[in-house]
Amino acid sequence: MKTIPEPTQRRLIQLKQLLSQQTSEKITSKDLENLTGWSSSLIRRDISFLNYRKGVSNGYSVKELQQVICSCFKIESENTKIENCCIVGLGRLGTAILEDDFLGQNRFKIVAGFDSNVNRIEILKTSFPLYPLSHLSKVVSKMNIKFAVLTARDEEIQKIVRELVSAKISGIVNYSKEVLSVPSDIIVENISPIIALMNISASVVNKNKE
Amino acid sequence: MKTIPEPTQRRLIQLKQLLSQQTSEKITSKDLENLTGWSSSLIRRDISFLNYRKGVSNGYSVKELQQVICSCFKIESENTKIENCCIVGLGRLGTAILEDDFLGQNRFKIVAGFDSNVNRIEILKTSFPLYPLSHLSKVVSKMNIKFAVLTARDEEIQKIVRELVSAKISGIVNYSKEVLSVPSDIIVENISPIIALMNISASVVNKNKE
DNA sequence: CGGTGTGAATGCTTTCACAGCC
DNA sequence: GGCTGTGAAAGCATTCACACCG
């Protein structure tokens, strides 16, 4: 099986999301161009990595294409095994994310929570167990947790990351603006709103230069 | 002034963040390679876009490099003008972001909040005015708000985006998993945790293929 | 026709490798 | 000697353009 370039991967996942918002049954690469701003030939090239090859002369079936993307990346289908996740930091942000039941019908399931504040882990009502931060690496190893969502305060981040690394985590979703130092086989997605704003603002500045 | 490639821009902003975490006075491209995983020559090339050119044979001054990056992209300095931002959606996520005083000493300042729930905007105590969602496009235009942080529920997103577009917003930070359709001059950063998890997971799958 | 799928060409980005500098 | 800055080469990603298909 051929390995898919990262930009393509990211677009396909967006595409999957976009398809789930669609009402029509069929869709063409030109339609998708209008919805995304990516060129239709780029979209066709991206889709060609999936070996779907049923689009000829009709456009794609919205439902099928969605499924093909999901199965290619093993995301969001009932027959794929659940992936254990944890959330680290149960302050306002952490609990907000929990309650906005942010993992809908995904294969990602939160199975543990951690916080340095022992009070919090006693008071909070959750459908999964909560532990003090000191148990982090032990519990992550034992429960076979693969992904961590980091919503702790900046001061705690680096210590937490060291623990996660030693527990052989596969990926980290980082809400903080701290830059994480991890070995190259651990994947980090930085989604700090400040960094996002800086990127947007920099793009605006950069565009008005030329 | 030369326009900077987007990948370079993103790395430089991360670098700036990373530099702020450093304690030493000087730093070499090789040090930065160890901290980031990016090759030292890539880092040198990135920095060369800044026309800094004071690093020869000594490595870079941590402080100076940080400043040069900031001024290049006009981020986070006192002498740059404040950029007006708003937050749309004041549920648990929206208010969590507010309280975690998430815009530290940046030039991004939240000057208005919006929610469809009129109760909420009456109860919440904030340092800036709150409005019902129906006032969105009017207030955004009038207050010259350039950036929006979108923390509303999925069902409301598309309507909100249409309003923001008509009010000529410059950029949107999107916490929802919905894909936004906007004209190409509006910049969107998607920071949905679900999408982030999918990207990580897909990368893991993709790597184990080969 | 109105669409896809894909070699070949183009355009970007990254790495190599080394001159130049302290 | 150690490190930067940068032409030139290599490696990727995107677009072009057209054969092919229903």
Side-chain angles (χ1 to χ4, degrees), chain A residues 85-87 90 98 109-115 121-122 124-132 139 143 145:
Chain A
C85 305
C86 68
I87 185 156
L90 299 166
L98 290 182
K109 195 160 172 255
I110 295 190
V111 298
F114 301 90
D115 200 291
I121 68 177
E122 273 167 5
L124 272 171
K125 287 271 171 220
T126 52
S127 59
F128 47 82
L130 302 181
Y131 304 91
V139 174
M143 295 183 79
I145 292 173

Side-chain angles (χ1 to χ4, degrees), chain A residues 16-165:
Chain A
K16 191 226 94 199
Q17 215 42 53
L18 187 66
L19 289 169
S20 73
Q21 294 165 215
Q22 244 43 44
T23 50
S24 60
E25 218 214 295
K26 288 258 169 184
I27 201 160
T28 69
S29 60
K30 195 74 189 147
D31 297 336
L32 291 168
E33 170 172 312
N34 293 332
L35 289 163
T36 58
W38 306 323
S39 80
S40 64
S41 69
L42 178 54
I43 289 167
R44 291 202 300 281
R45 172 84 55 196
D46 285 347
I47 291 173
S48 82
F49 282 97
L50 302 169
N51 299 307
Y52 170 56
R53 233 135 302 198
K54 295 226 192 95
V56 176
S57 87
N58 278 306
Y60 308 96
S61 150
V62 170
K63 216 174 98 195
E64 275 180 28
L65 188 49
Q66 227 174 312
Q67 282 166 354
V68 174
I69 296 173
C70 284
S71 85
C72 170
F73 296 120
K74 310 239 175 20
I75 45 178
E76 197 172 280
S77 80
E78 314 78 39
N79 45 359
T80 333
K81 82 169 204 305
I82 292 288
E83 207 68 78
N84 289 340
C85 305
C86 68
I87 185 156
V88 188
L90 299 166
R92 290 186 56 80
L93 180 58
T95 50
I97 285 173
L98 290 182
E99 299 215 355
D100 287 352
D101 77 326
F102 94 117
L103 301 180
Q105 70 301 49
N106 269 280
R107 73 185 197 99
F108 304 103
K109 195 160 172 255
I110 295 190
V111 298
F114 301 90
D115 200 291
S116 52
N117 183 332
V118 182
N119 255 14
R120 257 185 214 151
I121 68 177
E122 273 167 5
I123 290 163
L124 272 171
K125 287 271 171 220
T126 52
S127 59
F128 47 82
L130 302 181
Y131 304 91
L133 208 46
S134 52
H135 290 37
L136 182 58
S137 99
K138 209 189 311 169
V139 174
V140 167
S141 299
K142 198 165 290 177
M143 295 183 79
N144 195 32
I145 292 173
K146 287 292 166 226
F147 303 109
V149 178
L150 245 184
T151 49
R153 300 192 323 278
D154 285 359
E155 309 86 78
E156 300 181 310
I157 296 289
Q158 302 297 345
K159 198 176 118 262
I160 292 172
V161 168
R162 280 194 294 276
E163 300 266 337
L164 290 171
V165 168

